[in-house]
Amino acid sequence: MLFMEADIVVKTVMVGLLLASVWTWTIIVSFGMKIRQIARKSDRFERAFSKAENIDRFFDEHGKSNLPSAKVMAAGVREWRRSTAKRPVDREGTRQRLASAMNSTIAEEVDGIADRLNFLATVGSVAPFVGLFGTVWGIMRSFSAIAAEQNSSLAVVAPGIAEALFATAIGLFAAIPAVIAYNRFSHRLNKLEARMGRFADSFHATLSRELEIGS
């Protein structure tokens, strides 16, 4: 078996890359399930919000939800209540603070969701080079074997070359899914961010109309 016959350095590289691959697939599966769940719940939340006749009542019922859209709404409602608590109401200042509060919440939610994606980016960029290190080490070992045996036959060279190629293969096995998943999830995260932005704009428009009515 290539792993058992490998040098300790190459073994360390292989084990590290295999662990990175396992953790990469764990993130891929868990993040994929999480982003789909958020999308489904966001659909239901936004449909319910569009049908709500009383924003305060809707906030009391859904304001404590961990759903990103609900947190955006909660940030808007809290800022609305603070800004309109005193008279006269600074309408333009209130609009600016509402936009700032909701945009800040969107950025915070996106950062929180994307936190584990940094590992995928790291594996995708670093794993090939770690595998290449194992490759170089295996080839160096082959040359050392040639020098020690003073024999360049396949039996002498093959073990080191095989280890080198195996380390390269494991590096690619870890890196390729990480890069594909990172790009795919980044796209879906951008769509989620845009969706929250549209919801925030719609909610901001609703509250702005309330300002006009109350003026």
Side-chain angles (χ1 to χ4, degrees):
M1 185 178 179
L2 289 176
F3 179 80
M4 298 305 298
E5 296 175 358
D7 180 80
I8 184 62
V9 174
V10 180
K11 282 182 178 178
T12 302
V13 169
M14 291 179 181
V15 170
L17 290 172
L18 286 172
L19 291 175
S21 180
V22 170
W23 187 238
T24 293
W25 280 104
T26 301
I27 292 175
I28 290 172
V29 173
S30 62
F31 191 88
M33 294 173 62
K34 181 178 181 180
I35 204 76
R36 283 194 297 271
Q37 185 180 48
I38 289 175
R40 287 196 302 269
K41 290 184 177 180
S42 295
D43 283 336
R44 292 196 295 267
F45 176 84
E46 291 174 18
R47 283 197 300 268
F49 178 81
S50 66
K51 297 176 182 178
E53 297 180 356
N54 188 301
I55 292 177
D56 287 326
R57 186 180 303 118
F58 186 84
F59 172 72
D60 292 338
E61 294 174 355
H62 302 278
K64 295 182 179 180
S65 171
N66 287 325
L67 193 65
S69 296
K71 290 185 178 181
V72 172
M73 178 194 68
V77 170
R78 285 194 295 267
E79 183 56 47
W80 165 267
R81 289 177 175 177
R82 284 193 295 265
S83 296
T84 58
K86 297 180 181 179
R87 293 291 188 271
V89 175
D90 180 3
R91 289 183 293 173
E92 189 58 34
T94 298
R95 289 190 181 97
Q96 293 177 0
R97 287 190 293 272
L98 285 170
S100 178
M102 289 190 286
N103 288 335
S104 177
T105 301
I106 289 173
E108 183 179 345
E109 288 301 302
V110 170
D111 288 343
I113 295 171
D115 184 53
R116 297 175 73 186
L117 292 186
N118 291 332
F119 183 81
L120 297 183
T122 301
V123 171
S125 60
V126 173
F129 294 101
V130 175
L132 181 60
F133 172 76
T135 301
V136 173
W137 190 269
I139 292 174
M140 289 173 57
R141 189 179 175 213
S142 295
F143 281 118
S144 297
I146 291 173
E149 298 289 335
Q150 295 184 349
N151 185 350
S152 60
S153 67
L154 186 61
V156 174
V157 177
I161 298 297
E163 294 169 14
L165 295 175
F166 193 43
T168 301
I170 295 177
L172 294 175
F173 179 77
I176 291 173
V179 171
I180 294 173
Y182 178 80
N183 291 334
R184 179 59 181 165
F185 289 150
S186 294
H187 174 68
R188 295 181 69 176
L189 196 60
N190 288 337
K191 290 179 65 177
L192 178 62
E193 183 177 10
R195 178 178 191 159
M196 287 191 289
R198 290 191 296 271
F199 175 77
D201 289 342
S202 175
F203 190 40
H204 186 276
T206 299
L207 295 179
S208 294
R209 285 192 294 271
E210 290 294 324
L211 282 175
E212 296 295 334
I213 293 173
S215 62

